[in-house]
């Protein structure tokens, strides 16, 4: 097993349960290059560290905002690079500017999602009205 920043490792089933995703979804994100196991058990089961669990939680938060796999990958790579301790000041500033762009994009996606929720709530309210009218007849 490779060395990691955190020592705790978890089998894929534990990770999936902890994050609230299916095994298939965790494998899919791994195949898409968004997640890497830190090793495997003697039996061949994937092992993930706590950093991978945190990464899956972040991916799970991005999903409802409609981020594509490529967008997720780009943001994860950017965040990974920003965590490097010996990053040159100029590069860090460049990455922080790019992160600010991601913040703006996420805020736009959130506004769109809120608008969709309002439309859905109006629809459900209309259905309740229809149900109330039809039972009163």
């Amino acid at each position: 097993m490779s060395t990691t920043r955190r020592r705790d490792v978890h089998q894929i089933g534990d990770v999936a349960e902890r994050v609230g995703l299916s095994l298939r979804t965790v494998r899919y994100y791994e195949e898409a290059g968004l997640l890497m196991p830190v090793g495997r058990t003697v039996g061949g089961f994937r092992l993930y560290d706590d950093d991978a669990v945190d990464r899956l939680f972040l991916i799970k938060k991005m999903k409802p905002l409609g981020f594509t796999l490529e967008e997720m990958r780009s943001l994860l790579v950017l965040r990974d690079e920003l965590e490097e301790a010996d990053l040159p000041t100029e590069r860090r500033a460049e990455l922080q500017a790019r992160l600010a762009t991601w913040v703006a994009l996420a805020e736009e996606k959130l506004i769109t999602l809120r608008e969709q929720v309002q439309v859905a709530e109006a629809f459900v309210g209309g259905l309740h009205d229809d149900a109330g009218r039809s039972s009163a007849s």
Side-chain angles (χ1 to χ4, degrees), residues 49-69:
D49 62 3
D50 288 333
D51 290 332
V53 172
D54 292 344
R55 195 174 185 96
L56 280 170
F57 274 121
L58 180 63
I59 292 166
K60 189 175 175 182
K61 290 174 187 174
M62 293 174 76
K63 186 78 173 132
L65 292 175
F67 282 99
T68 66
L69 287 176

Side-chain angles (χ1 to χ4, degrees), residues 110-121:
L110 181 57
I111 289 168
T112 300
L113 186 58
R114 284 182 175 143
E115 290 168 353
Q116 291 172 345
V117 167
Q118 288 175 345
V119 168
E121 287 173 338

